[in-house]
Amino acid sequence: RSMPSQSRWPVRNVGICPESAWGRLTAADLDERTAWELDIMRNEIFARWGRPFARAKYRDYFERQWWYHVNPSYHDGLLSQLERWNADFIHRYQITTGGTTG
């Protein structure tokens, strides 16, 4: 892929849980999701900013999404406080419920 301009990040209104970019998630948002969906919901928060994924299952999934482009300058500090809160909330929910694919 060609290198997109920095203005390409973050990508908005995409993914299986686009609201994680603008609203605080609740357990009700997660309750009916599969372990795979929870993994994707958490990781798409990072993917919108172009995070490169080392784990093949995430790299393969996100590379198939039209909106995903690797950001060579990615770091977790790019995420908003709300995005970090939502990623952590999903992760805590996964630990509590066993809802992760590992």
Side-chain angles (χ1 to χ4, degrees):
R1 297 181 197 210
S2 63
M3 173 106 64
S5 68
Q6 187 65 23
S7 64
R8 191 160 247 183
W9 298 290
V11 180
R12 298 287 185 203
N13 299 317
V14 294
I16 64 172
C17 188
E19 62 271 23
S20 65
W22 69 79
R24 189 174 274 215
L25 298 177
T26 67
D29 297 316
L30 310 181
D31 284 340
E32 300 298 318
R33 300 291 187 158
T34 67
W36 175 246
E37 287 173 323
L38 291 170
D39 282 345
I40 294 302
M41 286 171 67
R42 182 168 46 88
N43 282 288
E44 75 185 11
I45 293 169
F46 306 108
R48 287 187 200 113
W49 286 94
R51 179 187 205 174
F53 291 94
R55 296 185 78 182
K57 67 180 180 176
Y58 300 129
R59 185 177 57 249
D60 294 347
Y61 175 84
F62 287 112
E63 285 180 353
R64 288 193 312 267
Q65 307 308 305
W66 66 266
W67 51 266
Y68 176 72
H69 299 277
V70 170
N71 178 353
S73 301
Y74 175 85
H75 57 90
D76 286 347
L78 294 170
L79 279 69
S80 71
Q81 183 177 0
L82 175 66
E83 289 168 317
R84 287 190 300 273
W85 189 93
N86 280 333
D88 187 54
F89 178 73
I90 296 168
H91 190 241
R92 287 191 320 267
Y93 180 92
Q94 290 177 287
I95 292 168
T96 303
T97 64
T100 183
T101 61

